Amino acid sequence: MHASLARCGIAGWLDFDRDLRAHGPTVRAMTAVLALRGPGGEGVWLDEHIALGHRRLPVLDPAGGAQPMLAKDGERVLAALAYGGETYNHRDLALPAQTRSDTEAVLRAYLRWGEDFAQRLEGMYAIALWDARRECLLLVRDRLGVKPLYYLPAGSGALFASEPKAIAAHPLGRLSVDLDGLRELLASVRTPGHAVYRGLREVRPGEIVRIDRTGVHARRYWRPAPAEHRDDWPATVHTVRSLLSRAVTGQLHADVPLCALLSGGLDSSAVAALAVAARPDLRTVSLDDPDDAPHARAAAAFLRTRHEQVTVDAAQLADVVHRAAALTALELPTGLGEFHVSLYLLFRSVAERATVALTGEGADELFGGYPWCHDPRAAGTFPWLAGPYAARADPSGPSTDVLSPELSAALELPEYRDDAYASALSEVDHVPSEGPAQRRMRASRYLHLTRLLPILLDRMDRMSMACGIEARVPFCDHRLVEYAYNVPWSMHTYDGREKSLLRAAVSEDLPADVLRRRKRPYPVASDPAYELALRSQLLHVLEDSTSPVRPLLDTAKAWHLIVAPIAQPGLDAGRRAVELLLSLDRWLRTVPLVSLPF
């Protein structure tokens, strides 16, 4: 049996100059903010210089898996752990255990292997571990960054949590945003470690952060690394299918209801097909989108799953309560509000049926599913921000036209993007034998895995956790990522189509119409009523003299967004601008702007 610890959130406080044993209410306040991540239980542990908080939903072995969990030698505490997520291989670590929980396996792994323990874990996790013997705190994040983890240096220590809002609940954690944070937000880049809020840091995917009396020390324990690919085509196809099947099967373990999201596209259908082989009674769920719905029904019929479709209409998407719930979960403004709200509503419906959901997230970044992956024009910047793709993929870039001239000049967004792109390219290592074309495609894949994928994983985690759903991502299994990252691009596109390798790997598992289906963007609202509702909301913002976003705008251009003709849904930069301004207005009512040069 597998002790599933779904819906977890962690928070805590480290301070070498304070006795924190009297500060239980403060840490409980931080932990309470994460209630949606763990609505079924709370735990707080206090020691002289460290306080750990945890929210969880115990579904098996409640006493054995309770957190924070301590390792003791008699009465002496050796280490304490607050941990969120899943370690899928915890039973394979061959560690002595008194419980069936993966929490204990993680703690014992550290006691045996020290900081090298992270390299032995397989799963999605955010870990806060206090080593009382060394007087140091370790913050550890899974390799691809599925589970979020943040920290804010404060006093002679740090505050840390699964979400910034938990840090903000601490008196020392008042968050603000300066010009650099606005740049990161509005340039549509995802700088690893940057968390938009002033002074706040995000633990990078595959990173261990150690905080002790000497300061903060960070090191990577994993990142995509180049290697010579020596398998021929049949062996490559077989290995990809084998690795994906292993990942899916390993992520089926749960002692709570489980389902798979199924759009009828290649990625979600591949996951469902491999899951149903082990779970013939698999439940699948999809949005009732006019384009996706027939394909989802056909795939479900072929796989014989128990399929349900969820309807989300324009009124639900525009509803201020739904938008507030989604944006509160996201914690940052976005020009892609409808994507977040629709995903939130989908997960809210899923929560009536299941607690765990398998998804196809990550396949496009790993196997080259986007059109810009195959377009030589998408060069010189992040591919998804290049030329014809920016209007769809960039949630804020086109929208910055409505900013005031003074703010636009101060932001210097083109220069910021260029610097971020150059910095990302400098991280890419190559195999010596690679030619120019191969080097270019390796760099593109690295950018997708380290800059674009984290944005999508964060969206998935925030929207699912807000509904009490644990979303799992088999395509982010690090063994599959390591292998596919080093497959030559010519194999990824052997028949001239996107994701040729993935199609070949699951060719015997799916019907021909699914295998032939081309990549489609996430569904967007086609009903003009949605955009009209958004414009009405923006009208109220622009007429509100107390609106914090108004001083940042070119007022004439902002008003034009309300009266401009409605363009093709999903491709209109104007809609993205309206979405962004609405979310900025809401965000800036709770987060102060500081140190602006005008």
Short mmCIF file of all heavy atoms in Angstrom, two decimals, residues 381-440:
data_model
loop_
_atom_site.label_atom_id
_atom_site.label_comp_id
_atom_site.label_asym_id
_atom_site.label_seq_id
_atom_site.Cartn_x
_atom_site.Cartn_y
_atom_site.Cartn_z
N THR A 381 15.37 35.10 -29.72
CA THR A 381 14.71 35.35 -28.44
C THR A 381 14.08 34.05 -28.00
O THR A 381 14.25 33.00 -28.64
CB THR A 381 13.66 36.47 -28.56
OG1 THR A 381 13.16 36.80 -27.25
CG2 THR A 381 12.50 36.05 -29.45
N PHE A 382 13.34 34.08 -26.89
CA PHE A 382 12.62 32.89 -26.49
C PHE A 382 11.64 32.53 -27.61
O PHE A 382 10.87 33.39 -28.05
CB PHE A 382 11.88 33.13 -25.19
CG PHE A 382 12.78 33.43 -24.02
CD1 PHE A 382 12.97 34.72 -23.57
CD2 PHE A 382 13.49 32.40 -23.41
CE1 PHE A 382 13.82 35.00 -22.51
CE2 PHE A 382 14.35 32.66 -22.35
CZ PHE A 382 14.52 33.96 -21.90
N PRO A 383 11.66 31.30 -28.11
CA PRO A 383 10.90 30.96 -29.32
C PRO A 383 9.42 31.31 -29.23
O PRO A 383 8.81 31.72 -30.23
CB PRO A 383 11.12 29.45 -29.45
CG PRO A 383 12.41 29.19 -28.76
CD PRO A 383 12.46 30.15 -27.62
N TRP A 384 8.82 31.14 -28.05
CA TRP A 384 7.39 31.40 -27.90
C TRP A 384 7.06 32.89 -27.88
O TRP A 384 5.90 33.27 -27.90
CB TRP A 384 6.86 30.73 -26.65
CG TRP A 384 7.62 31.02 -25.41
CD1 TRP A 384 7.37 32.00 -24.50
CD2 TRP A 384 8.78 30.33 -24.93
NE1 TRP A 384 8.30 31.97 -23.49
CE2 TRP A 384 9.18 30.95 -23.72
CE3 TRP A 384 9.53 29.25 -25.40
CZ2 TRP A 384 10.28 30.53 -22.98
CZ3 TRP A 384 10.63 28.82 -24.66
CH2 TRP A 384 10.99 29.45 -23.47
N LEU A 385 8.09 33.74 -27.84
CA LEU A 385 7.88 35.19 -27.90
C LEU A 385 8.27 35.77 -29.24
O LEU A 385 8.28 36.98 -29.43
CB LEU A 385 8.69 35.89 -26.80
CG LEU A 385 8.37 35.49 -25.36
CD1 LEU A 385 9.19 36.33 -24.39
CD2 LEU A 385 6.89 35.64 -25.06
N ALA A 386 8.60 34.90 -30.18
CA ALA A 386 9.09 35.36 -31.49
C ALA A 386 7.94 35.66 -32.44
O ALA A 386 6.98 34.90 -32.53
CB ALA A 386 10.02 34.32 -32.09
N GLY A 387 8.08 36.77 -33.15
CA GLY A 387 7.23 37.12 -34.28
C GLY A 387 5.77 36.75 -34.14
O GLY A 387 5.05 37.25 -33.27
N PRO A 388 5.29 35.86 -35.02
CA PRO A 388 3.85 35.58 -35.10
C PRO A 388 3.30 34.85 -33.89
O PRO A 388 2.08 34.74 -33.75
CB PRO A 388 3.75 34.70 -36.36
CG PRO A 388 5.08 34.04 -36.48
CD PRO A 388 6.08 35.06 -35.99
N TYR A 389 4.15 34.33 -33.01
CA TYR A 389 3.66 33.54 -31.88
C TYR A 389 3.44 34.37 -30.63
O TYR A 389 2.78 33.93 -29.69
CB TYR A 389 4.65 32.41 -31.59
CG TYR A 389 4.95 31.60 -32.82
CD1 TYR A 389 6.20 31.66 -33.43
CD2 TYR A 389 3.97 30.80 -33.40
CE1 TYR A 389 6.47 30.94 -34.58
CE2 TYR A 389 4.24 30.08 -34.55
CZ TYR A 389 5.48 30.15 -35.13
OH TYR A 389 5.74 29.44 -36.27
N ALA A 390 3.99 35.57 -30.59
CA ALA A 390 3.93 36.37 -29.36
C ALA A 390 2.50 36.70 -28.97
O ALA A 390 2.17 36.71 -27.78
CB ALA A 390 4.74 37.65 -29.54
N ALA A 391 1.63 37.00 -29.93
CA ALA A 391 0.27 37.41 -29.60
C ALA A 391 -0.48 36.34 -28.83
O ALA A 391 -1.26 36.63 -27.93
CB ALA A 391 -0.50 37.75 -30.88
N ARG A 392 -0.22 35.05 -29.16
CA ARG A 392 -0.91 33.98 -28.46
C ARG A 392 -0.18 33.58 -27.19
O ARG A 392 -0.78 33.37 -26.14
CB ARG A 392 -1.04 32.74 -29.36
CG ARG A 392 -1.74 31.59 -28.66
CD ARG A 392 -1.79 30.35 -29.53
NE ARG A 392 -2.60 30.54 -30.70
CZ ARG A 392 -3.93 30.38 -30.71
NH1 ARG A 392 -4.56 30.05 -29.61
NH2 ARG A 392 -4.62 30.55 -31.81
N ALA A 393 1.15 33.48 -27.26
CA ALA A 393 1.90 32.90 -26.16
C ALA A 393 2.28 33.91 -25.09
O ALA A 393 2.43 33.56 -23.93
CB ALA A 393 3.16 32.22 -26.68
N ASP A 394 2.48 35.15 -25.48
CA ASP A 394 2.97 36.17 -24.54
C ASP A 394 1.80 36.78 -23.79
O ASP A 394 0.97 37.47 -24.38
CB ASP A 394 3.73 37.24 -25.32
CG ASP A 394 4.30 38.32 -24.40
OD1 ASP A 394 4.12 38.21 -23.19
OD2 ASP A 394 4.93 39.25 -24.92
N PRO A 395 1.68 36.52 -22.49
CA PRO A 395 0.52 37.02 -21.76
C PRO A 395 0.53 38.51 -21.49
O PRO A 395 -0.48 39.07 -21.12
CB PRO A 395 0.60 36.24 -20.44
CG PRO A 395 2.05 35.95 -20.27
CD PRO A 395 2.59 35.75 -21.66
N SER A 396 1.66 39.16 -21.67
CA SER A 396 1.67 40.58 -21.30
C SER A 396 2.43 41.46 -22.27
O SER A 396 2.17 42.66 -22.31
CB SER A 396 2.27 40.74 -19.90
OG SER A 396 3.56 40.17 -19.84
N GLY A 397 3.34 40.92 -23.04
CA GLY A 397 4.16 41.76 -23.91
C GLY A 397 3.37 42.73 -24.77
O GLY A 397 3.58 43.94 -24.70
N PRO A 398 2.41 42.24 -25.59
CA PRO A 398 1.63 43.18 -26.39
C PRO A 398 0.81 44.14 -25.55
O PRO A 398 0.50 45.25 -25.97
CB PRO A 398 0.70 42.25 -27.19
CG PRO A 398 1.37 40.91 -27.16
CD PRO A 398 2.07 40.85 -25.84
N SER A 399 0.48 43.73 -24.33
CA SER A 399 -0.36 44.56 -23.48
C SER A 399 0.37 45.76 -22.92
O SER A 399 -0.25 46.71 -22.45
CB SER A 399 -0.91 43.71 -22.33
OG SER A 399 -1.44 42.50 -22.81
N THR A 400 1.68 45.73 -22.92
CA THR A 400 2.43 46.83 -22.32
C THR A 400 2.34 48.10 -23.15
O THR A 400 2.80 49.15 -22.69
CB THR A 400 3.91 46.43 -22.15
OG1 THR A 400 4.46 46.04 -23.41
CG2 THR A 400 4.04 45.28 -21.17
N ASP A 401 1.72 48.05 -24.31
CA ASP A 401 1.49 49.26 -25.10
C ASP A 401 0.61 50.25 -24.36
O ASP A 401 0.62 51.44 -24.66
CB ASP A 401 0.83 48.91 -26.44
CG ASP A 401 1.80 48.21 -27.38
OD1 ASP A 401 3.01 48.27 -27.13
OD2 ASP A 401 1.33 47.57 -28.33
N VAL A 402 -0.18 49.77 -23.40
CA VAL A 402 -1.10 50.66 -22.70
C VAL A 402 -0.46 51.29 -21.47
O VAL A 402 -1.11 52.08 -20.78
CB VAL A 402 -2.39 49.90 -22.29
CG1 VAL A 402 -3.07 49.32 -23.51
CG2 VAL A 402 -2.11 48.83 -21.26
N LEU A 403 0.78 50.96 -21.18
CA LEU A 403 1.45 51.56 -20.03
C LEU A 403 1.83 53.00 -20.32
O LEU A 403 2.02 53.40 -21.48
CB LEU A 403 2.69 50.76 -19.66
CG LEU A 403 2.47 49.29 -19.26
CD1 LEU A 403 3.81 48.63 -18.95
CD2 LEU A 403 1.53 49.19 -18.07
N SER A 404 1.99 53.81 -19.29
CA SER A 404 2.38 55.20 -19.47
C SER A 404 3.77 55.28 -20.08
O SER A 404 4.60 54.37 -19.87
CB SER A 404 2.37 55.92 -18.13
OG SER A 404 3.45 55.47 -17.32
N PRO A 405 4.06 56.31 -20.85
CA PRO A 405 5.40 56.44 -21.44
C PRO A 405 6.51 56.43 -20.40
O PRO A 405 7.58 55.87 -20.64
CB PRO A 405 5.32 57.79 -22.17
CG PRO A 405 3.86 58.00 -22.44
CD PRO A 405 3.15 57.38 -21.28
N GLU A 406 6.25 57.04 -19.24
CA GLU A 406 7.28 57.09 -18.19
C GLU A 406 7.60 55.68 -17.68
O GLU A 406 8.77 55.32 -17.50
CB GLU A 406 6.81 57.97 -17.03
CG GLU A 406 6.61 59.44 -17.39
CD GLU A 406 5.27 59.69 -18.06
OE1 GLU A 406 4.43 58.75 -18.12
OE2 GLU A 406 5.04 60.84 -18.49
N LEU A 407 6.56 54.88 -17.44
CA LEU A 407 6.79 53.52 -16.94
C LEU A 407 7.44 52.65 -18.02
O LEU A 407 8.36 51.89 -17.74
CB LEU A 407 5.47 52.90 -16.48
CG LEU A 407 5.56 51.46 -15.97
CD1 LEU A 407 6.54 51.35 -14.82
CD2 LEU A 407 4.18 50.96 -15.53
N SER A 408 6.96 52.77 -19.25
CA SER A 408 7.55 51.98 -20.34
C SER A 408 9.04 52.27 -20.49
O SER A 408 9.85 51.36 -20.68
CB SER A 408 6.82 52.27 -21.65
OG SER A 408 5.49 51.82 -21.60
N ALA A 409 9.40 53.54 -20.41
CA ALA A 409 10.81 53.91 -20.54
C ALA A 409 11.64 53.36 -19.40
O ALA A 409 12.77 52.89 -19.58
CB ALA A 409 10.95 55.43 -20.61
N ALA A 410 11.07 53.40 -18.18
CA ALA A 410 11.82 52.91 -17.01
C ALA A 410 11.97 51.39 -17.03
O ALA A 410 12.99 50.86 -16.58
CB ALA A 410 11.11 53.35 -15.73
N LEU A 411 10.98 50.70 -17.56
CA LEU A 411 11.02 49.24 -17.55
C LEU A 411 12.08 48.67 -18.49
O LEU A 411 12.72 47.66 -18.18
CB LEU A 411 9.65 48.67 -17.93
CG LEU A 411 8.55 48.80 -16.89
CD1 LEU A 411 7.20 48.40 -17.48
CD2 LEU A 411 8.85 47.93 -15.67
N GLU A 412 12.25 49.28 -19.65
CA GLU A 412 13.22 48.78 -20.64
C GLU A 412 13.01 47.28 -20.89
O GLU A 412 13.94 46.47 -20.82
CB GLU A 412 14.65 49.04 -20.18
CG GLU A 412 14.98 50.51 -20.00
CD GLU A 412 16.41 50.73 -19.53
OE1 GLU A 412 16.80 50.09 -18.52
OE2 GLU A 412 17.14 51.49 -20.17
N LEU A 413 11.78 46.92 -21.22
CA LEU A 413 11.45 45.50 -21.35
C LEU A 413 12.19 44.79 -22.48
O LEU A 413 12.62 43.64 -22.30
CB LEU A 413 9.94 45.35 -21.54
CG LEU A 413 9.08 45.72 -20.33
CD1 LEU A 413 7.61 45.48 -20.62
CD2 LEU A 413 9.51 44.95 -19.09
N PRO A 414 12.38 45.39 -23.65
CA PRO A 414 13.15 44.66 -24.68
C PRO A 414 14.55 44.31 -24.21
O PRO A 414 15.04 43.19 -24.47
CB PRO A 414 13.16 45.65 -25.85
CG PRO A 414 11.95 46.50 -25.65
CD PRO A 414 11.82 46.65 -24.17
N GLU A 415 15.21 45.23 -23.52
CA GLU A 415 16.56 44.96 -23.03
C GLU A 415 16.52 43.87 -21.95
O GLU A 415 17.41 43.01 -21.89
CB GLU A 415 17.18 46.24 -22.46
CG GLU A 415 17.47 47.32 -23.50
CD GLU A 415 16.25 48.15 -23.85
OE1 GLU A 415 15.15 47.91 -23.28
OE2 GLU A 415 16.38 49.07 -24.68
N TYR A 416 15.49 43.90 -21.11
CA TYR A 416 15.37 42.89 -20.06
C TYR A 416 15.20 41.50 -20.67
O TYR A 416 15.82 40.52 -20.22
CB TYR A 416 14.19 43.23 -19.15
CG TYR A 416 14.11 42.36 -17.91
CD1 TYR A 416 14.87 42.66 -16.78
CD2 TYR A 416 13.26 41.26 -17.85
CE1 TYR A 416 14.80 41.88 -15.63
CE2 TYR A 416 13.18 40.47 -16.71
CZ TYR A 416 13.95 40.79 -15.61
OH TYR A 416 13.88 40.00 -14.48
N ARG A 417 14.34 41.42 -21.70
CA ARG A 417 14.15 40.12 -22.38
C ARG A 417 15.44 39.65 -23.02
O ARG A 417 15.80 38.47 -22.95
CB ARG A 417 13.06 40.24 -23.45
CG ARG A 417 11.65 40.33 -22.93
CD ARG A 417 10.64 40.09 -24.06
NE ARG A 417 9.30 40.41 -23.62
CZ ARG A 417 8.68 41.54 -23.87
NH1 ARG A 417 9.27 42.48 -24.57
NH2 ARG A 417 7.45 41.74 -23.44
N ASP A 418 16.15 40.57 -23.67
CA ASP A 418 17.40 40.19 -24.33
C ASP A 418 18.41 39.67 -23.32
O ASP A 418 19.10 38.67 -23.56
CB ASP A 418 17.98 41.39 -25.09
CG ASP A 418 17.16 41.77 -26.31
OD1 ASP A 418 16.32 40.96 -26.74
OD2 ASP A 418 17.35 42.90 -26.81
N ASP A 419 18.51 40.33 -22.18
CA ASP A 419 19.46 39.89 -21.15
C ASP A 419 19.05 38.53 -20.59
O ASP A 419 19.90 37.67 -20.34
CB ASP A 419 19.52 40.92 -20.01
CG ASP A 419 20.21 42.22 -20.42
OD1 ASP A 419 20.89 42.21 -21.48
OD2 ASP A 419 20.06 43.21 -19.71
N ALA A 420 17.75 38.34 -20.39
CA ALA A 420 17.28 37.06 -19.86
C ALA A 420 17.54 35.93 -20.85
O ALA A 420 17.91 34.81 -20.46
CB ALA A 420 15.78 37.14 -19.55
N TYR A 421 17.36 36.24 -22.14
CA TYR A 421 17.62 35.23 -23.18
C TYR A 421 19.10 34.87 -23.23
O TYR A 421 19.46 33.68 -23.27
CB TYR A 421 17.14 35.77 -24.53
CG TYR A 421 17.37 34.85 -25.70
CD1 TYR A 421 16.72 33.63 -25.78
CD2 TYR A 421 18.23 35.22 -26.73
CE1 TYR A 421 16.91 32.79 -26.87
CE2 TYR A 421 18.43 34.39 -27.82
CZ TYR A 421 17.77 33.17 -27.88
OH TYR A 421 17.97 32.34 -28.96
N ALA A 422 19.95 35.87 -23.19
CA ALA A 422 21.39 35.61 -23.21
C ALA A 422 21.82 34.80 -21.99
O ALA A 422 22.66 33.89 -22.08
CB ALA A 422 22.16 36.93 -23.28
N SER A 423 21.27 35.14 -20.83
CA SER A 423 21.60 34.41 -19.61
C SER A 423 21.17 32.95 -19.71
O SER A 423 21.91 32.04 -19.30
CB SER A 423 20.93 35.08 -18.42
OG SER A 423 21.17 34.36 -17.23
N ALA A 424 19.98 32.72 -20.26
CA ALA A 424 19.50 31.34 -20.41
C ALA A 424 20.39 30.54 -21.35
O ALA A 424 20.74 29.38 -21.07
CB ALA A 424 18.06 31.35 -20.92
N LEU A 425 20.78 31.15 -22.47
CA LEU A 425 21.64 30.44 -23.43
C LEU A 425 22.99 30.10 -22.81
O LEU A 425 23.60 29.07 -23.15
CB LEU A 425 21.84 31.29 -24.68
CG LEU A 425 20.65 31.45 -25.62
CD1 LEU A 425 21.05 32.28 -26.84
CD2 LEU A 425 20.12 30.09 -26.06
N SER A 426 23.48 30.94 -21.92
CA SER A 426 24.79 30.70 -21.32
C SER A 426 24.80 29.46 -20.43
O SER A 426 25.86 28.94 -20.10
CB SER A 426 25.23 31.92 -20.51
OG SER A 426 24.46 32.06 -19.32
N GLU A 427 23.62 28.99 -20.04
CA GLU A 427 23.54 27.81 -19.18
C GLU A 427 23.62 26.51 -19.98
O GLU A 427 23.84 25.44 -19.40
CB GLU A 427 22.22 27.81 -18.41
CG GLU A 427 22.03 28.98 -17.46
CD GLU A 427 20.65 28.95 -16.83
OE1 GLU A 427 19.92 27.94 -17.02
OE2 GLU A 427 20.29 29.91 -16.13
N VAL A 428 23.43 26.58 -21.28
CA VAL A 428 23.27 25.36 -22.08
C VAL A 428 24.64 24.73 -22.37
O VAL A 428 25.53 25.39 -22.91
CB VAL A 428 22.55 25.66 -23.41
CG1 VAL A 428 22.29 24.36 -24.18
CG2 VAL A 428 21.25 26.40 -23.15
N ASP A 429 24.76 23.47 -22.01
CA ASP A 429 25.95 22.70 -22.37
C ASP A 429 25.65 21.86 -23.60
O ASP A 429 24.50 21.45 -23.83
CB ASP A 429 26.36 21.79 -21.20
CG ASP A 429 26.82 22.58 -19.99
OD1 ASP A 429 27.44 23.64 -20.18
OD2 ASP A 429 26.54 22.14 -18.86
N HIS A 430 26.67 21.56 -24.38
CA HIS A 430 26.50 20.83 -25.63
C HIS A 430 27.43 19.63 -25.69
O HIS A 430 28.47 19.58 -25.02
CB HIS A 430 26.77 21.75 -26.82
CG HIS A 430 25.82 22.89 -26.96
ND1 HIS A 430 24.60 22.78 -27.57
CD2 HIS A 430 25.89 24.18 -26.52
CE1 HIS A 430 23.97 23.94 -27.53
NE2 HIS A 430 24.73 24.81 -26.89
N VAL A 431 27.04 18.67 -26.53
CA VAL A 431 27.91 17.56 -26.86
C VAL A 431 28.90 18.05 -27.92
O VAL A 431 28.50 18.72 -28.88
CB VAL A 431 27.08 16.37 -27.40
CG1 VAL A 431 27.99 15.26 -27.91
CG2 VAL A 431 26.15 15.85 -26.32
N PRO A 432 30.19 17.76 -27.77
CA PRO A 432 31.19 18.29 -28.71
C PRO A 432 30.90 17.98 -30.17
O PRO A 432 31.23 18.79 -31.05
CB PRO A 432 32.48 17.61 -28.25
CG PRO A 432 32.27 17.35 -26.79
CD PRO A 432 30.81 17.01 -26.67
N SER A 433 30.26 16.86 -30.45
CA SER A 433 30.04 16.47 -31.84
C SER A 433 28.86 17.17 -32.50
O SER A 433 28.62 17.01 -33.69
CB SER A 433 29.82 14.95 -31.91
OG SER A 433 28.67 14.58 -31.14
N GLU A 434 28.11 17.96 -31.74
CA GLU A 434 26.92 18.60 -32.30
C GLU A 434 27.29 19.72 -33.27
O GLU A 434 28.17 20.54 -32.99
CB GLU A 434 26.05 19.18 -31.17
CG GLU A 434 25.36 18.12 -30.34
CD GLU A 434 24.55 18.72 -29.19
OE1 GLU A 434 24.86 19.86 -28.79
OE2 GLU A 434 23.62 18.06 -28.72
N GLY A 435 26.58 19.75 -34.41
CA GLY A 435 26.75 20.82 -35.37
C GLY A 435 25.87 22.01 -35.02
O GLY A 435 25.12 21.98 -34.04
N PRO A 436 25.93 23.08 -35.81
CA PRO A 436 25.16 24.30 -35.51
C PRO A 436 23.67 24.06 -35.36
O PRO A 436 23.04 24.59 -34.44
CB PRO A 436 25.47 25.21 -36.70
CG PRO A 436 26.80 24.73 -37.20
CD PRO A 436 26.81 23.25 -36.99
N ALA A 437 23.06 23.27 -36.27
CA ALA A 437 21.63 23.02 -36.19
C ALA A 437 21.27 22.25 -34.93
O ALA A 437 20.28 22.55 -34.25
CB ALA A 437 21.15 22.26 -37.43
N GLN A 438 22.09 21.25 -34.60
CA GLN A 438 21.84 20.47 -33.39
C GLN A 438 22.00 21.31 -32.14
O GLN A 438 21.24 21.19 -31.18
CB GLN A 438 22.77 19.26 -33.35
CG GLN A 438 22.51 18.23 -34.43
CD GLN A 438 23.61 17.19 -34.47
OE1 GLN A 438 24.80 17.50 -34.63
NE2 GLN A 438 23.23 15.94 -34.33
N ARG A 439 23.00 22.19 -32.15
CA ARG A 439 23.21 23.07 -30.99
C ARG A 439 22.02 24.02 -30.81
O ARG A 439 21.58 24.28 -29.68
CB ARG A 439 24.51 23.86 -31.16
CG ARG A 439 25.76 23.00 -31.09
CD ARG A 439 27.00 23.81 -31.46
NE ARG A 439 27.29 24.86 -30.49
CZ ARG A 439 28.03 24.70 -29.40
NH1 ARG A 439 28.56 23.51 -29.14
NH2 ARG A 439 28.26 25.70 -28.58
N ARG A 440 21.51 24.52 -31.93
CA ARG A 440 20.37 25.43 -31.85
C ARG A 440 19.14 24.72 -31.26
O ARG A 440 18.43 25.27 -30.41
CB ARG A 440 20.05 25.98 -33.23
CG ARG A 440 18.91 27.02 -33.20
CD ARG A 440 18.66 27.61 -34.57
NE ARG A 440 18.10 26.63 -35.50
CZ ARG A 440 18.78 26.10 -36.52
NH1 ARG A 440 20.05 26.45 -36.74
NH2 ARG A 440 18.21 25.23 -37.31
#
